[in-house]
């Protein structure tokens, strides 16, 4: 609950049961210096006990718990844990997200999250984690909320169970607890055949087995898609899925909602940096490689966060260690999105400014990960439940994946991590996840953030994984053979199939290499762009790639004595005037022993761009090559023709070069002028940018303060309205009591000005509202039996009470003048009560 939540809370607790054994936790947005009186407000609306949250306090039934200002409150099973927000914590603080996420640790116990009126998006991320763990989510109707931002943010996730007014929510929760969550297992059993058919349909289309996921979560997502399609009967929804691929895709997307963000749980990232990443960088030498696996990476933010932290740790240590981050997920669309490395400004808002400028490039309204960081991260579609694990890992991060899975599936995934991690490798899980039966293989680094270090060298592997991956389905689809005997269709996972295909391609390439070595003559394969693609046989003696590993051109890697004749052939190939021909050249191989060669040039493919040419080599003394155009004997004439051809080409290139130089000179002059202008503009923009950045930081800080103050003012205003209403009711009750007693009262201050009078006095002496703050001697009634003004003065001067009896306008009455003392904000207040009792 945030701004405007006082009225919904009162409505909620007016209708909440006080003997159902429920525990209520109320989280407000409170500034550090504000002390709420919410406990007093709620105590007037319910008989439930109201307490403030303290560290180590255990929850109890029929109790309301309120958070304290500037404090993060979480629940560790049934025990509260609190911590004070510090200067390093990101703003705005998100106390509702923290509590919701921690509620997932309660396992299958009935839990409902309620989001009421408030500003911002606090509660949305935590609600996804809680909902994935089986909790219910109820959202106040935005039309009813004074500040609808928080309800709308929760509704945009599409995971809510109910939308209702605050007063109706207790009844909705009771219904869900008694009829929904408790009997859900029975409902699933009654629809088991339909659900099984739906899951088999999903597996057939998307190659993913959902039988390992928690039934209640899967069924809830199926029910949600069915409701959104406005279908009441499960079998009708199954028929829709069988005939509509779009509906299958919708359900698949809904079942695999990924929850992640950059620098999620900053305290956990700080702990990981200090206890795992920095020691790992310090221990590794520069000829080793750091390997990290991010399982269930969703849209990639976690993988990039670890990449940034590793890069920063190496920079601080002065090392340049190679590292690879393997980020995997079963959801193809999420992997494709993560691979682009492009995020919105809101998505990267938690990244510190200096890291954001260092590792991201802004393009319009998007921020793109720098290529240096991106090339160290491998994104791949991979099912941690069925595909083989990665090996020799130094760190595995798998946060909030296990909460979706059944116990057996959780154990299977943990076994993957045990198998893949090196000894002393580190495992990071979500705050609500545990190691289960594998805890003996790990030592705990931090229990709160589920950070563990592998303590053994054992590699325990769940054999059911390989059985599932390369054998039969867990729930096989059957087909009829000719003998009408059901047989199981074998299935191979995508990763294993890709591995098998790759292995086949590698074998084929090795076979090609053997064939080329055995049957291809000594030759070069060259393109019309002067690029040397490959060489065979004795041709390797005239190739030198040691001095140039990137530019494999004729000029850079072939023997210099070959350049002239090959360039002549390339010019003919580019011009299209090409027939197979030969040239004889002598190659200087050192030690005054020239080697005579005959080069035969043959076009292979002129249609493609660039064209291909084969250059066959025949060393002096070898047998004749296959027939081609004879080698001309007039050597001088051939050399002259070749020289003329190259000279023509050189002339054309020189002409183009001069034109290019003139153009470049003109462009350079313009660029220099523009550069000076841009430099001046850049300096101005840089100065303006620095000023704007400072102003933006100040405005952001001011905005947060104003946001907090606004929420406080709204709360205080609401509380004051309640006080005013109470005082108005009290005043009306007092007037009615005086009427019943037949008594009129007039209140005077120490200067004998009329401050208040009751309705009986108003009627008896014809007083009007404007007579308030006027002197008694001016407006007061005149009695024959008492001087009212003098009696009031006597009382102020020390006399306790002045009483008189007499008749006024034919009515007998008794008048008492008494001194009144009271406390006021400015000090002690003196005044006089005039009490008039007419006789009946």
């Amino acid at each position: 609950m945030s701004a405007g939540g006082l009225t919904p809370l009162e409505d909620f607790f007016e209708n909440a049961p006080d003997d159902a054994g429920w525990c209520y936790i109320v989280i407000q947005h409170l500034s550090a210096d504000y002390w709420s009186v919410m406990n007093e407000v709620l105590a007037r609306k319910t008989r439930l006990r109201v307490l403030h949250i303290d560290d180590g306090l255990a929850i109890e039934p029929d109790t309301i718990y309120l958070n304290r200002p500037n404090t993060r409150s979480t629940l560790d099973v049934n025990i509260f844990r609190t911590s004070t927000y510090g200067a390093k914590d990101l703003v705005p603080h998100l106390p509702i997200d923290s509590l919701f996420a921690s509620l997932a640790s309660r396992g299958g116990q009935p839990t409902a999250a309620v989001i009421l009126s408030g500003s911002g998006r606090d509660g949305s991320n935590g609600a996804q984690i809680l909902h994935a763990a089986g909790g219910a989510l109820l959202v106040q109707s935005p039309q009813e909320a004074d500040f609808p931002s928080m309800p709308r943010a929760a509704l945009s996730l599409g995971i809510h169970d109910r939308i209702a007014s605050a007063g109706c929510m207790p009844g909705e929760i009771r219904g869900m607890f008694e009829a929904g969550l408790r009997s859900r297992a029975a409902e699933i059993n009654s629809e088991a055949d339909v659900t099984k058919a739906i899951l088999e349909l999903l597996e057939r289309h998307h190659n993913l087995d959902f039988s390992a996921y928690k039934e209640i979560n899967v069924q809830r997502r199926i029910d949600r898609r069915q409701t959104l399609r406005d279908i009441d009967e499960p079998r009708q929804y199954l028929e829709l899925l069988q005939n509509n691929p779009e509906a299958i895709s919708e359900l698949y997307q809904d079942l695999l909602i990924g929850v992640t963000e950059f620098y999620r749980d900053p305290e956990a990232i700080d702990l990981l940096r200090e206890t795992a990443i920095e020691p790992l960088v310090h221990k590794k030498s520069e000829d080793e490689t750091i390997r990290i696996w991010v399982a269930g990476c969703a849209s990639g933010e976690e993988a990039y966060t670890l990449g940034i932290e590793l890069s920063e740790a190496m920079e601080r240590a002065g090392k340049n260690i190679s590292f690879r981050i393997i980020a995997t997920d079963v959801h193809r669309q999420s992997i494709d999105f993560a691979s682009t490395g492009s995020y919105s400004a809101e998505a990267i808002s938690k990244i510190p400014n200096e890291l954001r400028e260092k590792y991201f490039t802004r393009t319009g309204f998007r921020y793109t990960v720098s290529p240096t960081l991106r090339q160290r991260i491998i994104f791949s579609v991979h099912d941690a439940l069925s595909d083989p694990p990665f090996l020799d890992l130094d760190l595995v991060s798998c946060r909030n994946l296990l909460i979706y899975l059944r116990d057996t599936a959780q154990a299977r995934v943990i076994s993957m991590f045990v198998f893949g991690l090196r000894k002393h490798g580190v495992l990071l899980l979500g705050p609500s996840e545990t190691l289960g039966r594998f805890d003996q293989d790990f030592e705990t680094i931090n229990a709160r953030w589920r950070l563990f270090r592998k303590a053994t060298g054992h590699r325990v592997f769940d054999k059911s994984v390989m059985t599932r991956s390369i054998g039969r389905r867990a729930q096989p689809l059957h087909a009829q053979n000719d003998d009408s005997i059901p047989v199981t269709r074998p299935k191979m996972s995508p990763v294993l199939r890709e591995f098998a295909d790759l292995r086949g391609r590698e074998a084929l390439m090795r076979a090609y290499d053997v064939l080329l070595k055995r049957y291809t003559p000594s030759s070069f394969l060259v393109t019309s762009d002067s690029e040397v693609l490959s060489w065979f046989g004795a041709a390797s003696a005239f190739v030198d790639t040691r001095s140039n590993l990137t530019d494999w051109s004729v000029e850079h890697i072939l023997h210099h004595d070959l350049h002239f004749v090959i360039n002549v052939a390339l010019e003919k190939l580019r011009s299209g005037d090409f027939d197979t021909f030969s040239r004889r050249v002598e190659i200087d191989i050192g030690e005054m022993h020239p080697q005579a060669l005959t080069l035969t040039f043959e076009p292979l493919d002129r249609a493609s761009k660039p064209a291909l040419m084969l250059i066959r080599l025949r060393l002096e003394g070898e047998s004749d090559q296959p027939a081609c155009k004879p080698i001309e004997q007039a050597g001088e004439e051939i050399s002259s023709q070749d020289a003329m051809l190259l000279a023509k080409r050189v002339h054309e290139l020189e002409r183009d070069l001069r034109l290019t130089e003139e153009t470049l000179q003109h462009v350079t002059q313009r660029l220099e002028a523009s550069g000076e202008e841009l430099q001046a503009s850049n300096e101005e923009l840089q100065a303006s940018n620095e000023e704007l950045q400072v102003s933006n930081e100040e405005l952001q800080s001011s905005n947060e303060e104003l946001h907090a103050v606004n929420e406080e003012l709204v709360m205080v205003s609401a509380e004051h309205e309640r006080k005013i209403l109470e005082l108005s009711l009290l005043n009306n009750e007092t007037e009615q009591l005086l009427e019943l007693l037949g008594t009129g009262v007039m209140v005077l201050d120490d200067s004998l000005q009329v401050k208040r009078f009751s309705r009986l006095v108003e009627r008896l002496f014809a007083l009007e509202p404007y007579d308030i703050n006027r002197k008694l001697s001016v407006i007061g009634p005149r009695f024959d039996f008492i001087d009212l003004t003098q009696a009031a003065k006597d009382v102020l001067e020390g006399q306790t009470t002045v009483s008189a009896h007499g008749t006024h306008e034919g009515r007998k009455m008794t008048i008492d003048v008494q001194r009144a003392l009271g406390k006021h904000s400015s000090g002690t207040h003196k005044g006089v009560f005039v009490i008039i009792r007419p006789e009946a």
Side-chain angles (χ1 to χ4, degrees):
M1 183 204 68
S2 182
L6 180 58
T7 300
L9 270 180
E10 290 183 333
D11 294 343
F12 181 92
F13 283 108
E14 281 182 346
N15 296 277
D18 53 17
D19 57 356
W22 297 357
C23 169
Y24 306 86
I25 304 174
V26 178
I27 302 296
Q28 301 172 259
H29 288 160
L30 303 172
S31 66
D33 55 354
Y34 176 69
W35 187 260
S36 173
V37 294
M38 182 62 70
N39 55 337
E40 300 178 7
V41 175
L42 295 182
R44 293 194 293 265
K45 299 295 180 180
T46 179
R47 292 187 296 174
L48 293 163
R49 186 172 51 159
V50 183
L51 300 176
H52 281 96
I53 297 174
D54 291 313
D55 190 65
L57 184 67
I59 62 173
E60 296 182 8
D62 301 326
T63 306
I64 302 173
Y65 294 93
L66 305 176
N67 64 316
R68 296 186 183 275
N70 198 39
T71 302
R72 179 193 294 109
S73 301
T74 58
L75 199 63
D76 185 1
V77 187
N78 291 327
I79 304 297
F80 282 111
R81 300 299 177 194
T82 64
S83 59
T84 304
Y85 289 112
K88 293 184 178 180
D89 288 304
L90 297 175
V91 292
H93 302 149
L94 303 174
I96 303 176
D97 269 338
S98 300
L99 178 71
F100 283 178
S102 69
L103 289 174
S105 66
R106 305 190 71 243
Q109 300 182 57
T111 305
V114 176
I115 294 182
L116 300 177
S117 171
S119 55
R121 296 182 58 86
D122 191 11
S124 299
N125 290 333
Q128 294 183 74
I129 297 173
L130 176 59
H131 198 265
L137 176 62
L138 295 90
V139 183
Q140 182 184 8
S141 171
Q143 292 76 17
E144 181 192 63
D146 293 336
F147 292 80
S149 299
M150 277 174 50
R152 285 175 178 167
L155 293 175
S156 68
L157 302 174
I159 60 173
H160 56 278
D161 295 279
R162 298 287 190 276
I163 305 175
S165 62
C168 296
M169 283 186 178
E172 296 285 351
I173 295 173
R174 181 185 290 275
M176 295 175 69
F177 282 176
E178 294 182 353
L181 298 180
R182 189 177 62 192
S183 63
R184 191 62 201 159
E187 294 179 13
I188 291 175
N189 290 333
S190 65
E191 302 168 2
D193 54 343
V194 177
T195 301
K196 180 180 177 181
I198 291 175
L199 295 183
E200 289 181 349
L201 193 63
L202 281 168
E203 184 176 3
R204 190 182 310 126
H205 281 79
H206 293 281
N207 226 355
L208 182 61
D209 180 15
F210 283 98
S211 62
Y213 290 71
K214 291 180 179 176
E215 288 184 22
I216 189 170
N217 295 341
V218 173
Q219 188 64 46
R220 181 177 293 153
R221 301 291 169 85
I222 293 174
D223 292 346
R224 178 177 176 273
R225 294 310 315 178
Q226 178 180 319
T227 302
L228 292 176
R229 284 281 185 171
D230 198 21
I231 297 175
D232 297 328
E233 177 59 37
R235 294 191 179 277
Q236 292 180 3
Y237 184 57
L238 174 60
E239 293 175 2
L240 173 68
L241 293 175
Q242 291 171 337
N243 300 313
N244 190 338
E246 182 181 350
I248 297 177
S249 180
E250 288 176 352
L251 179 58
Y252 176 72
Q253 301 280 352
D254 216 17
L255 285 165
L256 296 177
I257 293 177
V259 183
T260 185
E261 60 183 343
F262 286 101
Y263 282 85
R264 178 174 57 174
D265 300 325
E267 189 176 340
I269 298 297
D270 292 342
L271 181 69
L272 185 67
R273 180 193 309 121
E274 296 169 2
T275 60
I277 293 178
E278 291 182 347
L280 182 63
V281 171
H282 179 74
K283 181 179 68 175
K284 290 281 187 178
S285 60
E286 294 194 357
D287 58 346
E288 294 181 290
T289 300
I290 297 174
R291 289 170 57 82
I292 296 175
W293 180 16
V294 180
C297 68
S299 49
E301 288 92 330
E302 179 90 0
Y304 288 120
T305 299
L306 295 181
I308 292 173
E309 287 298 319
L310 259 177
S311 300
E312 289 295 299
M314 287 192 293
E315 184 176 321
R316 288 191 295 269
K319 289 186 175 182
N320 185 20
I321 304 173
S322 174
F323 72 84
R324 280 289 177 268
I325 298 176
I326 306 167
T328 65
D329 200 282
V330 295
H331 194 219
R332 165 63 68 181
Q333 285 80 358
S334 295
I335 289 296
D336 292 341
F337 178 86
S339 299
T340 63
S342 178
Y343 298 92
S344 65
E346 181 182 2
I348 67 167
S349 59
K350 284 192 174 182
I351 301 177
N353 290 334
E354 63 275 11
L355 297 181
R356 189 185 312 163
E357 295 173 359
K358 188 174 181 179
Y359 292 100
F360 290 83
T361 302
R362 182 174 180 176
T363 305
F365 296 101
R366 307 286 295 179
Y367 288 81
T368 304
V369 177
S370 67
T372 305
L373 177 60
R374 174 62 187 86
Q375 66 186 4
R376 296 192 174 196
I377 303 176
I378 300 171
F379 289 99
S380 175
V381 176
H382 178 278
D383 188 354
L385 281 166
S386 60
D387 292 327
F390 302 95
L391 302 180
D392 297 326
L393 299 168
D394 299 289
L395 171 64
V396 173
S397 175
C398 179
R399 295 210 273 174
N400 298 328
L401 168 64
L402 302 182
I403 59 176
Y404 293 84
L405 306 176
R406 296 182 180 183
D407 293 342
T408 54
Q410 291 181 15
R412 190 186 309 169
V413 174
I414 295 293
S415 76
M416 293 280 198
F417 301 154
V418 175
F419 190 83
L421 276 169
R422 295 171 174 165
K423 186 177 181 180
H424 305 309
V426 175
L427 173 62
L428 176 63
L429 300 178
S432 303
E433 299 168 335
T434 61
L435 293 171
R437 61 185 175 90
F438 294 98
D439 57 351
Q440 70 275 9
D441 293 307
F442 291 87
E443 61 183 25
T444 301
I445 300 175
N446 185 279
R448 178 185 177 188
W449 293 112
R450 303 299 193 267
L451 189 61
F452 308 97
R453 178 176 285 110
K454 188 178 178 183
T456 67
H458 297 160
R459 285 191 169 180
V460 181
F461 190 69
D462 192 336
K463 295 181 180 179
S464 65
V465 175
M466 293 306 296
T467 302
R468 170 68 181 86
S469 299
I470 62 177
R472 303 178 175 182
R473 296 178 184 264
Q475 297 175 346
L477 300 175
H478 298 288
Q480 299 293 329
N481 60 10
D482 293 339
D483 298 327
S484 299
I485 300 175
V487 296
T488 303
R489 299 176 182 174
K491 175 195 169 187
M492 185 179 291
S493 72
V495 173
L496 289 177
R497 186 184 298 110
E498 184 178 352
F499 176 74
D501 294 343
L502 179 61
R503 184 176 59 186
R505 290 195 296 270
E506 290 178 349
L508 184 62
M509 293 303 295
R510 287 196 300 271
Y512 285 161
D513 289 340
V514 173
L515 291 172
L516 288 172
K517 288 179 181 178
R518 178 172 297 183
Y519 297 108
T520 303
S522 299
S523 56
F524 301 110
L525 186 60
V526 183
T527 70
S528 58
D529 291 338
S530 192
E531 181 183 3
V532 180
L533 296 180
S534 187
W535 52 87
F536 310 98
S540 61
F542 307 104
V543 179
D544 179 15
T545 60
R546 291 175 297 177
S547 59
N548 196 312
L549 297 177
T550 57
D551 192 0
W552 282 12
S553 64
V554 171
E555 300 291 337
H556 287 93
I557 67 171
L558 296 188
H559 196 286
H560 59 85
D561 289 339
L562 298 175
H563 293 174
F564 180 81
V565 291
I566 293 179
N567 285 332
V568 170
L570 288 173
E571 183 58 30
K572 289 185 177 182
L573 181 64
R574 284 189 285 261
S575 65
D577 182 17
F578 195 105
D579 289 323
T580 301
F581 68 98
S582 299
R583 291 288 187 272
R584 183 177 183 276
V585 296
E586 290 187 349
I587 305 295
D588 182 10
I589 60 176
E591 299 181 357
M592 304 299 291
H593 295 292
Q595 173 66 55
L597 294 177
T598 298
L599 304 180
T600 301
F601 302 92
E602 179 182 350
L604 293 181
D605 183 6
R606 302 183 188 181
S608 61
K609 297 296 179 182
L612 296 177
M613 178 175 65
L614 183 68
I615 307 173
R616 296 199 300 271
L617 285 75
R618 182 167 59 87
L619 301 178
E620 185 175 325
E622 288 185 356
S623 60
D624 291 342
Q625 300 296 311
C628 64
K629 186 175 180 179
I631 303 174
E632 292 89 342
Q633 300 300 319
E636 294 183 359
E637 181 180 351
I638 292 173
S639 298
S640 176
Q641 292 175 355
D642 292 346
M644 289 178 61
L645 181 64
L646 290 182
K648 179 181 177 182
R649 177 62 175 168
V650 169
H651 178 71
E652 293 175 352
L653 292 175
E654 288 177 346
R655 182 190 61 196
D656 294 342
L657 181 61
R658 283 195 300 272
L659 179 61
T660 303
E661 287 177 347
E662 293 174 359
T663 305
L664 283 176
Q665 185 176 3
H666 178 65
V667 171
T668 301
Q669 291 174 352
R670 294 180 60 185
L671 286 176
E672 287 177 352
S674 300
E676 293 175 356
E677 296 175 0
L678 288 173
Q679 186 174 0
S681 301
N682 182 58
E683 292 174 355
E684 295 176 1
L685 289 173
Q686 189 173 0
S688 301
N689 182 57
E690 292 174 355
E691 295 175 1
L692 288 173
Q693 188 172 356
V694 173
S695 301
N696 181 58
E697 292 174 355
E698 294 175 354
L699 288 173
Q700 186 176 1
S701 176
S702 300
N703 181 59
E704 295 298 333
E705 294 175 1
L706 289 174
H707 182 72
V709 170
N710 178 60
E711 293 187 358
E712 293 172 16
L713 289 175
V714 171
M715 295 293 294
V716 171
S717 175
E719 292 172 5
H720 284 173
E721 288 179 3
R722 297 296 183 278
K723 292 288 186 181
I724 292 171
L725 179 60
E726 291 177 4
L727 291 174
S728 297
L729 292 173
L730 181 61
N731 184 59
N732 289 333
E733 292 169 357
T734 303
E735 287 287 353
Q736 292 176 12
L737 179 61
L738 291 174
E739 289 281 351
L740 292 173
L741 295 175
T743 302
V745 177
M746 183 181 297
V747 182
L748 310 177
D749 63 10
D750 54 1
S751 61
L752 299 184
Q753 288 184 338
V754 178
K755 306 307 294 181
R756 287 185 61 189
F757 46 78
S758 64
R759 288 196 289 265
L760 181 60
V761 172
E762 180 182 358
R763 293 196 304 271
L764 286 176
F765 307 115
L767 298 182
E768 298 291 342
Y770 56 76
D771 289 324
I772 292 176
N773 292 328
R774 297 178 67 186
K775 289 286 187 180
L776 177 64
S777 59
V778 175
I779 68 168
R782 303 293 186 267
F783 298 105
D784 296 334
F785 56 90
I786 186 174
D787 185 347
L788 202 56
T789 301
Q790 185 60 45
K793 288 180 180 179
D794 294 341
V795 168
L796 285 173
E797 290 174 358
Q799 190 170 345
T800 304
T801 303
V802 175
S803 298
H805 302 276
T807 302
H808 177 71
E809 295 182 353
R811 297 187 66 179
K812 292 183 179 182
M813 58 184 63
T814 301
I815 298 177
D816 293 326
V817 182
Q818 298 180 355
R819 182 168 51 188
L821 290 176
K823 293 291 185 180
H824 194 267
S825 58
S826 59
T828 302
H829 168 70
K830 296 181 179 180
V832 175
F833 288 152
V834 178
I835 303 171
I836 303 173
R837 301 187 186 89
E839 294 183 4

